[in-house]
Amino acid sequence: MWKTAKNKEPTTNRRCFSIVHQYIQRFNEVSGGKSGKVAIFKVVVKGDPKPEVTWRRAKGPITDKDKFHSKYDESTGEHILEIVKVSGAETDTYKCYAANEYGKAVCKATLTVIEDSNHPSDFRKLLRRSKEKPGGESDERFWQAMLKADKKDYERICTEFGVSDLHLILKKLEEKKEERAHNNYQDGTTAYDENGTEGHSFSSGGRTKNSNLKVMQKGKGLHQEDEEVHLFNTGRDLTDEEAMLLSTELIFSTVDFVIKIQELKAQEGDDALFACVLTHPLPKITWTGKGSTLEEGAKCSITVSDHKLIHRLLIKDCNSLDQGIYSAVAGVKSCSAWLVVQAESDPASAGMRRARKTTVASGAPIDLEKIAVEQQIKKREEMEKILAAVKAKHKEGQVAAMDKKSEGNSIDNTLDNSGCATREGGKRLGKPKNKKRMRSGQMDFDKVTDSNEGDFQDDDDFTGSVKKSKNRKHGQNGEHEQMEFDQTETSAESQNDVADCDGNKDSRRQKHRKKAHRKRRTYAREDPNEPTSEDEASYSDESEDSLDQHKRSRRAKQSKMLKKVNGESTCPEEYSGYDEIEGITGAPTHSRRKRRGPLTEDVVIDIGVHFICGLSDVNAVINETAELTCKLSSEDCEGAWFRDGKKISPDHNFSVTNDGAIHKLVIIRCDEEHSGKYRFEADGRKTEAMINVKDPPRFNHADLKAFSEPVTVKAGHNAIFKLQFLGHEPVKIKWYSEGEELLDDNNTKIEKSASHSRLLLSRCQRRDTGEIKIKLKNEHGFIEAISQLIVLDKPTLPLGPAEVTEGSAICIEFRWRPPKDDGGSPVINYMVERQQVGRNTWKKIGEIPGIPSYRDTDVDHGRKYCYRIRAVTAEGTSEVMETDEMQAGTLAFPGPPAPPKVVSAYDDCVNISWAPPSNTGGSRILGYVLEKRKKGSNLWSAVNATDELIKVKKYAVKDVVMGMEYEFRVTAVNLSGIGEYSNPSEFVFARDPKKPPGKVSNLKVTESSYSHFVLTWTKPEDKPEIQDEAKGYFVEIRPAECLDWSRCNPTRIITTSFSVKGLKSMNMYWVRVIAVNDGGESAPEELANYVLAIPSPVRPKFTNHKMKSFMVVKAGNSVRITVNFEASPWPHVMWIKDNVPVTKRVTITNSDGSSQLLIPSSERSDSGIYSILVKNLAGQETFSTEVRVTDDPKPPGPVVLEETVPGTVTVIWEPSPDEKRDDRLHYTVSKLDFTKGNWTTVAEKLFNNKCTVCNIMPGREYHFRVYAENDMGVSAPSESPTCWKEKKKEKRVVSIPTRKECDLRCAPTFIVPLKFHAAPKGYECYMSCAVKGNPKPRITWYRNHISLNTDTNYYISNTCGVCSMLVLRVGPRDMGEYTIAAENALGRAECSTVLTVKE
């Protein structure tokens, strides 16, 4: 069996990131069935960059590879953990960690393994083992404390008494509460729950043989569909207790975000406000910033609206460290957004303190309160739909019961004296333990809600019982709640009793046993201290109000039905479904009544009084007022207030008021003893909230107002700030200036006491101006107060350079900029002095008003002057600012204006406009002179006289002849005279405006390439009075990713074709052509399809016909294959070796029209057939080259001669070591006849290891040699012994001892390493080093780990171990790390350096 439990860890461990990354987590519940099989966990992780996923368990490592298999399914994107042959040892909490550089996410699931058994005794043993008492349970004080304690204290009490199994203790505590409630019931009393908490169970585990567990989470989070975990498949019926132990329900919160947090861009020093709206009310959500959880404090402020739908996070005084990703986590849902902190845009004001403002999300403003109210209305409408479905199902149940009863043939319907129908033929079930009142047609609210989703599973889903105490009172809420809960369950069973009147007693007894068991469970669930599961809590949040409303409607019906008259129960005709009636003496009377008339329709359910708005938690300040407010659906309902279970009466501290449906409790002056849980009850409904009375630091309003006033002092004087406060001690006091904490030093003195603090700033300077803040903090909270310090000083000097606005023979006018810092006081005047260039004296002109400009009219023609300017404020005079030399009376003519533009033209008038000249000549423009000229003439005629200047920059020329063509020019006039004429305007006809031309036709592309295409079109037709002749054309293009059109020709063209150039290869462009004339532009003619910057398709073909199809390369040398081709569009090029893609050690270089394959240092394994595939949309082409990498062959082994046939000799030799690696290696055999004295070849191209030589003459001596030969050359020979050489007398040979040769081989090492190089751009760079090694090492140069040996841009040499490389014309691309590698058979050595390029 498998038992899976949802993780109950807080949601702060569940993080999701947006903008740069996001995690979407999902655990599959374990899909096994029995112990000994495989347990599978699956999770889907998403993020950018791709997260790294690891698995862990709580009680030990996952290192056993035979037991735990971790893998990744690429097809589904799932990370899977499989546990093979699970047993009880694998019962644990398993965690999946996903992490990347932006954060991490954790997902958990619990695996519980229960040994499988089909024997009933095994289940009983299992239950007995679950009831074993741990240490500490035998102490009666432990159970007394648990019965009296609140749910939040259970874990603490278990720890004190040494009890470890909290789950088992909670089950036993439930039984004890059930037993206590049953004893109270036997004694005639019902336990009253002062908190009024109802903890009904909504689970249906244990009511069916096979319970199907389906987990479904809507949205992006946990998502598992069409997957069922079958439990209790044991082949027998389980009892309710066994089913409760083995069943598991997983219900996940459906809370989601209606409005998610948005990206914020805040200025440095401002506040940033994130806000979101939820679909369901939550008292608290988790806020995270840059991977860590945020709490209420000095930096962050977290607030929740009264209806708990709007949650806000305020980041105070933003700086660059606050920039990052912030997230809001509600259950399994989350949303993220960036906070971007921008630096101060104005450097001049960077040091000045400005008022702090709050930054919210950009875009259209969103009314969060309005959205929250709409969400509440939406939820209320959904609840009304649920109630409507309940009513419909309720009626369907009554109709079904009527149909069943009408079909019964064995029921004899009679009528008793009371008018209630009874059943005489029915069998009685024996004396019950508790008396019951049952009414047909009534069903439980939660069961009806379940029935909306599917059919009812079992008759037991609608059965129950009603417990009635002997001593019934109106105020006993526990009895009323128990009646209405159990009565609804009995209705369906009553129907079954009527329909199955001939049923056996055993089945009915079994039903009564189940009902009695459910009654015990109901008593246990009524205790307010029973811990409810997370599933029930999430369900009750949405359904509590509907359940309470439904119960009150049933309560009203019961008050009408349950009447006792002289020991007999009266029953109206419409409520005639009661089976057993209890007399006033308490003795049950069992009677069967027959229904006289047909079943009547039940009364419509009235939801009753309910809360529209409940209480919310309040944080109150000591000695201040606190208020709790709630709103009912009815204005006529009274209620009562309770604090910690005790009723509150109005007095001098508490004020209880109600305004219609709104009820208020006001604590006039809060004290610490007023903290606690407050509850409001009305008509059986209740709402609760907490009041926490705190004593945070606070200021007197008058003192705070006085402190907030700016303090103004003069430079060099002292500034004093002091403020009194209240609050719980100890209080931490800190002073800040412009955000920086102030500490005691020579200029700063801080005095602190229990009720006030004082700050003394000595010898203040202008730079000390800014914000002064005091911050107080204790264990209850913190508070801040802000003031401003203004230090007055003399201003800085005015800012130059001075700008001459007018310079003439009679005056000089100039202006300057005000001082950067006015010293805290506005500039009153400016003191101006003048000096004539060439003299030593300064003439004081006087003070002028505080406008930074001056006009000097007392000047001499042609002389130069300098001026000195000082700013004057109330605090003093600034330093002097001296101007450059200014000359008066020089002739400076204005420059030419822009060419005139024709605004409009008519038969008798042409309207002209122009722009002023950029160079005014140092004086103001007095006016303009306009001239005109006919086309074909060289004479310009003035339109206006020089003494009648045109003051504006436009003019209507009326002295024109209709049909003539004119051009115009203009000149400006200043104090010095007439300036230079402008360029002439375009020619214009003096005639009424023309009609714009029509659209061009037959627009098409005739030629295209990667960088241009050619357009052609047909000229539009000339239609009088509709469209005139086109005088030119404009071509416009627009890239596919852009929405703006751009013109390719700045001036109109007159031809009907145009070449559009400067295109990006393979880009898509939209093209249109516009025809123009004097009347305007035509409508654009656009191509129907986009144009692709690509040549016409050309099938790939190879252009180099001298390419080799076979090449032999000596091992160690480079292999270079270059293929030239042509294709359009640019093809896809792929190289393969023996039908397999080439390895990474092969370098492929593709360029325009060619591709090159390079192997820097070849090996024998590089031999093979290399093929290139060139493919585009027009086709494909391939070419193959066989490359054989080999080396000089090694000689064959020893040669042996055999003579089996006279006159022939068989030469046999051992194969060469290269024979296995080179399939083209063959042998050549040579013969030496000592008589002739020369060598002759007797056999060649032998691929075996023996050769038979004929024509051997007896008595002659022969000698044979065998050579190995391949594509690279011939090996050294292997000599054979002399053939038939006669024995000679052996000579005495004296053996001389040979001296052992010294082994001089060594691995390569660098004697002189490379040095650091920094070369100027465009110069040469020479690198060198020395290396030794025997055998001689092979040298390879690298730049950024890329080989340079075959790069022609570098000159590389190796002379006697001195390795050098020359880089010509060093550029930025040559920067990087250079490495030289020396390698031989004994080892490898490397040496590196860095080359930097100076600009």
Side-chain angles (χ1 to χ4, degrees), residues 555-760:
R555 209 179 286 155
K557 297 176 190 176
Q558 291 169 2
S559 64
K560 296 180 181 179
M561 294 186 295
L562 304 177
K563 296 181 180 178
K564 294 177 283 183
V565 180
N566 297 328
E568 296 181 355
S569 297
T570 61
C571 182
E573 184 174 352
E574 62 268 25
Y575 297 105
S576 57
Y578 295 94
D579 290 345
E580 298 177 4
I581 303 171
E582 180 182 358
I584 196 168
T585 60
T589 302
H590 302 279
S591 62
R592 299 296 180 184
R593 306 189 182 193
K594 296 183 180 179
R595 188 180 303 278
R596 170 172 295 188
L599 290 173
T600 59
E601 185 177 0
D602 198 0
V603 181
V604 177
I605 297 174
D606 181 14
I607 62 175
V609 179
H610 60 278
F611 285 97
I612 295 178
C613 181
L615 298 179
S616 300
D617 292 344
V618 175
N619 290 327
V621 179
I622 195 168
N623 297 329
E624 293 187 5
T625 302
E627 182 179 295
L628 290 174
T629 305
C630 63
K631 185 177 181 181
L632 294 173
S633 61
S634 174
E635 297 183 357
D636 302 330
C637 185
E638 297 293 333
W641 291 89
F642 298 87
R643 178 168 68 89
D644 295 333
K646 297 180 181 180
K647 189 172 181 180
I648 298 175
S649 299
D651 55 15
H652 65 282
N653 275 335
F654 293 95
S655 173
V656 178
T657 61
N658 69 300
D659 182 9
I662 299 176
H663 295 256
K664 292 184 180 181
L665 172 65
V666 180
I667 304 176
I668 300 172
R669 189 178 177 87
C670 293
D671 200 352
E672 292 183 358
E673 64 182 14
H674 292 147
S675 297
K677 181 185 290 185
Y678 288 76
R679 184 175 76 253
F680 179 76
E681 293 184 356
D683 195 24
R685 293 298 182 91
K686 66 177 182 178
T687 176
E688 295 179 348
M690 292 293 297
I691 291 183
N692 299 316
V693 180
K694 298 182 178 181
D695 190 10
R698 55 197 183 278
F699 303 116
N700 180 273
H701 179 71
D703 294 342
L704 180 60
K705 183 177 181 181
F707 178 81
S708 301
E709 294 294 331
V711 176
T712 304
V713 297
K714 291 188 176 182
H717 291 201
N718 298 339
I720 299 176
F721 296 86
K722 59 182 179 179
L723 188 60
Q724 294 185 350
F725 56 85
L726 300 173
H728 181 75
E729 298 182 5
V731 178
K732 295 182 179 179
I733 305 172
K734 293 184 179 180
W735 289 87
Y736 297 87
S737 175
E738 288 297 310
E740 295 183 3
E741 184 177 357
L742 296 176
L743 302 175
D744 280 329
D745 55 20
N746 296 333
N747 296 328
T748 305
K749 299 295 181 183
I750 300 175
E751 298 178 3
K752 301 178 182 179
S753 68
S755 61
H756 77 279
S757 180
R758 180 173 178 268
L759 172 66
L760 173 62

Side-chain angles (χ1 to χ4, degrees), residues 1147 1341-1348 1376-1379 1390 1392:
T1147 303
W1341 286 83
Y1342 299 89
R1343 179 174 64 84
N1344 295 332
H1345 307 290
I1346 299 175
S1347 175
L1348 302 176
E1377 182 184 14
Y1378 287 78
T1379 305
E1390 290 185 356
S1392 301

Side-chain angles (χ1 to χ4, degrees), residues 302-547:
I302 300 174
T303 58
V304 185
S305 61
D306 293 338
H307 42 64
K308 294 181 174 56
L309 289 177
I310 302 176
H311 294 253
R312 294 181 174 92
L313 170 66
L314 180 66
I315 310 297
K316 303 176 183 177
D317 195 11
C318 296
N319 54 48
S320 58
L321 298 178
D322 298 326
Q323 180 166 304
I325 297 176
Y326 290 79
S327 303
V329 182
V332 297
K333 297 291 184 179
S334 67
C335 58
S336 303
W338 267 92
L339 170 59
V340 180
V341 179
Q342 299 176 341
E344 185 67 40
S345 58
D346 186 7
S349 61
M352 303 297 292
R353 187 66 179 180
R354 56 183 177 82
R356 186 191 301 174
K357 63 179 182 179
T358 302
T359 302
V360 297
S362 60
I366 301 176
D367 190 349
L368 299 183
E369 289 292 342
K370 180 179 178 182
I371 294 175
V373 171
E374 293 175 353
Q375 187 65 20
Q376 287 181 311
I377 296 173
K378 179 181 177 182
K379 288 301 175 185
R380 192 176 299 118
E381 292 175 352
E382 292 178 358
M383 188 57 65
E384 291 174 357
K385 291 181 181 179
I386 293 176
L387 292 177
V390 170
K391 296 176 184 178
K393 283 292 182 180
H394 190 62
K395 294 180 181 179
E396 291 177 4
Q398 286 185 336
V399 174
M402 291 174 59
D403 294 341
K404 276 191 173 184
K405 291 184 179 182
S406 63
E407 295 174 0
N409 298 325
S410 61
I411 300 177
D412 185 13
N413 294 327
T414 61
L415 188 67
D416 63 0
N417 294 330
S418 63
C420 295
T422 61
R423 208 173 43 167
E424 296 178 352
K427 295 183 179 181
R428 199 167 49 187
L429 291 176
K431 184 177 181 178
K433 293 182 181 179
N434 299 301
K435 290 74 183 174
K436 304 177 181 63
R437 297 180 183 271
M438 294 179 290
R439 179 171 62 86
S440 63
Q442 183 76 20
M443 60 183 68
D444 194 359
F445 176 82
D446 57 334
K447 300 298 180 287
V448 174
T449 305
D450 293 339
S451 69
N452 294 335
E453 300 174 1
D455 297 336
F456 301 120
Q457 296 178 0
D458 203 313
D459 291 342
D460 292 344
D461 289 342
F462 305 96
T463 60
S465 61
V466 178
K467 296 184 179 181
K468 173 179 178 298
S469 70
K470 299 177 182 180
N471 200 4
R472 188 186 309 269
K473 294 183 180 180
H474 178 72
Q476 292 176 342
N477 295 338
E479 177 188 354
H480 284 292
E481 292 173 0
Q482 185 62 42
M483 284 181 59
E484 62 194 29
F485 182 81
D486 289 340
Q487 182 182 356
T488 57
E489 295 184 354
T490 63
S491 59
E493 187 169 347
S494 301
Q495 298 172 11
N496 294 340
D497 287 344
V498 174
D500 302 334
C501 59
D502 295 332
N504 54 55
K505 295 182 180 180
D506 295 336
S507 63
R508 295 184 179 178
R509 289 195 184 97
Q510 184 177 2
K511 292 181 179 179
H512 277 279
R513 285 198 298 272
K514 292 185 178 180
K515 290 189 287 183
H517 177 71
R518 277 193 295 275
K519 286 189 287 185
R520 291 195 297 273
R521 290 173 57 188
T522 305
Y523 267 116
R525 296 286 177 95
E526 285 179 341
D527 196 299
N529 295 329
E530 179 186 357
T532 56
S533 67
E534 200 171 310
D535 301 348
E536 294 173 347
S538 63
Y539 187 92
S540 62
D541 288 341
E542 301 176 4
S543 305
E544 181 181 359
D545 290 343
S546 300
L547 283 170

Side-chain angles (χ1 to χ4, degrees), residues 1105-1119:
H1105 300 290
K1106 297 182 180 180
M1107 293 185 298
K1108 298 180 180 179
S1109 60
F1110 178 80
M1111 59 189 307
V1112 180
V1113 180
K1114 187 175 182 179
N1117 292 352
S1118 62
V1119 177

Side-chain angles (χ1 to χ4, degrees), residues 1304-1311 1331-1337 1361 1382 1384 1386:
L1304 299 178
R1305 296 181 302 168
C1306 64
T1309 56
F1310 285 93
I1311 303 173
V1331 64
K1332 71 174 183 177
N1334 188 14
K1336 182 180 178 181
N1384 64 8
L1386 299 179

Side-chain angles (χ1 to χ4, degrees), residues 762-810:
S762 303
R763 298 184 296 277
C764 295
Q765 301 297 325
R766 176 63 181 165
R767 62 176 177 270
D768 296 328
T769 298
E771 180 186 87
I772 301 297
K773 179 172 67 176
I774 181 174
K775 180 177 178 181
L776 308 179
K777 183 177 181 181
N778 64 6
E779 61 182 11
H780 291 165
F782 70 94
I783 193 171
E784 297 177 351
I786 298 176
S787 183
Q788 295 289 333
L789 173 62
I790 301 175
V791 181
L792 301 180
D793 200 354
K794 65 180 183 180
T796 59
L797 73 163
L799 299 179
E803 179 185 356
V804 178
T805 57
E806 181 178 345
S808 64
I810 58 175

